[in-house]
């Protein structure tokens, strides 16, 4: 039986009309497009677990700060649609910014404490934009499950909190970070890297992996891991470190002792490109 082709919705009403006629479990993969193997791993997982799979492509202006890369963010809608169709997505929504945030829009969602440290400190307002658009996507698609990458570790914490606090009947499925063969975490922003910066970009994973090896040796002082990561990052002259964090994976508060699971996370600038990566240890 030939597979029915992927349905495409532009307006909210078009999306609802198609969604209403899809029966059985629904899995959602929210994206900002510029798809890579990480996104496709989310679609594959959703395809394996759900009767229907939906995806959204929307570069959400509300999660970019002034002076950030909103206008430069890579966009290739035709390619993204072809990849989603090939991966077996049933329904894709590609709203415009005017549809998502029409004139008069003024209802924002702030997930308070877990939005504050790390990315929240470097990118004020970022998680308010993420939480608001994700809540809108959840309302639009009514998924049973929604799929996110561990690559954006704090985003996952924020979204889990949002789902719990606002009683969305949605299971959040977190999928492992997909890496290039040299360890660099897949990200749409890797496209910004010059050849030299691309070579230096392995420093994030090298720092995390060295700290992981030390963690496995059973050290109890998080400062030991911080020192290892700092020395590897500082040995890369092109890298400007924004933060190195060793935090509780749920509260994102920095730990004073390595007694349970911890989230190691980093943000590093290489030239104009800002990269993040993390490892969850002992989980
Ligand atoms: O992870 C992303 O691509 C975005 O933050 C998301 C979840 C699609 C919201 O815009």
């Amino acid at each position: 039986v030939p597979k029915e082709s992927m349905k495409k919705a532009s307006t909210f009403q078009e999306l609802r009309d198609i969604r209403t006629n899809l029966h059985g479990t629904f899995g959602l993969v929210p994206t900002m497009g510029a798809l890579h193997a990480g996104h496709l791993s989310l679609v594959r997982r959703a395809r394996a677990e759900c009767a229907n799979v939906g995806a959204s492509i929307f570069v959400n202006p509300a999660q970019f700060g002034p002076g950030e890369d909103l206008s430069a963010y890579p966009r290739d809608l035709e390619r993204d649609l072809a990849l989603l169709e090939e991966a077996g997505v049933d329904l894709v929504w590609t709203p415009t910014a005017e549809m998502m945030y029409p004139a008069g829009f003024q209802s924002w969602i702030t997930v308070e404490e877990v939005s504050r440290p790390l990315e929240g400190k470097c990118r004020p307002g970022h998680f308010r934009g993420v939480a608001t658009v994700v809540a809108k996507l959840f309302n639009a698609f009514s998924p049973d499950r929604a799929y996110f990458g561990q690559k954006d570790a704090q985003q996952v914490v924020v979204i889990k909190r949002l789902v719990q606090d606002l009683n969305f009947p949605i299971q959040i499925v977190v999928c492992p970070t997909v890496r290039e063969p040299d360890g660099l975490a897949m990200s749409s922003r890797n496209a910004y890297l010059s050849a030299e910066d691309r070579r230096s970009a392995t420093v994030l994973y090298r720092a995390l992996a060295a700290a992981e090896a030390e963690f496995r040796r059973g050290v109890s002082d998080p400062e030991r891991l911080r020192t290892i990561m700092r020395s590897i990052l500082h040995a890369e002259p092109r890298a400007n470190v924004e933060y190195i964090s060793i935090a509780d994976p749920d509260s994102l508060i920095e730990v004073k002792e390595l007694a349970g699971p911890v989230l190691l996370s980093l943000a590093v600038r290489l030239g104009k490109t800002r990269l993040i990566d993390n490892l969850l240890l002992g989980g």
Side-chain angles (χ1 to χ4, degrees):
V1 184
K3 212 182 154 330
E4 244 191 88
S5 63
M6 180 171 76
K7 298 206 162 48
K8 300 182 195 78
S10 172
T11 66
F12 178 80
Q13 197 51 51
E14 281 166 13
L15 177 75
R16 288 308 303 172
D17 290 346
I18 302 168
R19 173 65 185 100
T20 310
N21 293 312
L22 294 173
H23 305 290
T25 53
F26 193 99
L28 172 64
V29 180
T31 84
M32 299 208 300
L35 301 180
H36 52 66
H39 297 111
L40 298 177
S41 77
L42 305 181
V43 173
R44 219 176 302 121
R45 176 86 173 265
R47 189 68 283 166
E49 295 180 352
C50 306
N52 306 283
V53 178
S56 56
I57 301 176
F58 178 61
V59 183
N60 175 30
Q63 68 189 75
F64 290 78
E68 288 189 357
D69 56 342
L70 173 61
S71 59
Y73 198 82
R75 290 164 171 86
D76 192 344
L77 186 59
E78 290 314 308
R79 177 178 174 276
D80 289 342
L81 291 173
L83 287 170
L84 292 177
E85 176 139 40
E86 194 180 312
V89 167
D90 301 293
L91 167 59
V92 63
W93 189 29
T94 57
T96 64
E98 292 70 31
M99 290 171 191
M100 204 57 116
Y101 303 109
F105 183 93
Q106 52 189 287
S107 303
W108 297 97
I109 296 180
T110 304
V111 179
E112 298 198 345
E113 285 167 30
V114 291
S115 292
R116 276 188 206 123
L118 310 173
E119 290 301 284
K121 205 174 249 170
C122 299
R123 306 183 65 192
H126 171 65
F127 288 118
R128 171 188 190 252
V130 170
T132 303
V133 85
V134 167
K136 285 174 69 79
L137 293 169
F138 286 174
N139 283 329
F141 279 94
S142 313
D144 300 289
R145 300 197 181 110
Y147 295 80
F148 295 90
Q150 174 62 26
K151 158 76 177 14
D152 294 306
Q154 188 174 10
Q155 171 169 281
V156 166
V157 174
V158 168
I159 291 169
K160 283 185 173 169
R161 195 70 246 171
L162 169 79
V163 161
Q164 204 172 325
D165 291 351
L166 299 188
N167 307 100
F168 281 103
I170 300 171
Q171 186 194 338
I172 300 303
V173 182
V174 184
C175 300
T177 302
V178 178
R179 298 181 181 282
E180 300 285 358
D182 64 6
L184 177 65
M186 298 257 180
S187 164
S188 304
R189 291 190 165 97
N190 293 349
Y192 299 147
L193 294 168
S194 68
E196 269 184 313
D197 288 338
R198 172 64 188 82
R199 278 192 292 278
S200 305
T202 58
V203 73
L204 284 85
Y205 185 65
R206 285 191 279 117
L208 291 168
E212 178 180 30
E214 187 69 6
F215 178 85
R216 285 186 195 283
R217 262 177 231 126
V219 292
S220 59
D221 185 1
E223 279 316 307
R224 180 76 201 120
L225 306 190
R226 206 181 296 278
T227 305
I228 288 172
M229 291 194 277
R230 202 184 288 126
S231 69
I232 292 175
L233 291 163
H234 287 174
E236 173 46 68
R238 305 180 73 78
N240 284 308
V241 180
E242 277 196 3
Y243 63 76
I244 298 174
S245 161
I246 305 167
D248 177 278
D250 300 317
S251 68
L252 303 178
I253 294 171
E254 297 295 309
V255 298
K256 296 197 162 57
E257 202 191 344
L258 299 172
V262 284
L263 178 71
L264 303 188
S265 54
L266 304 174
V268 172
R269 272 184 199 280
L270 285 165
K272 284 196 182 128
T273 312
R274 186 174 183 280
L275 299 177
I276 59 171
D277 198 356
N278 70 85
L279 283 181
L280 194 52
L281 303 184

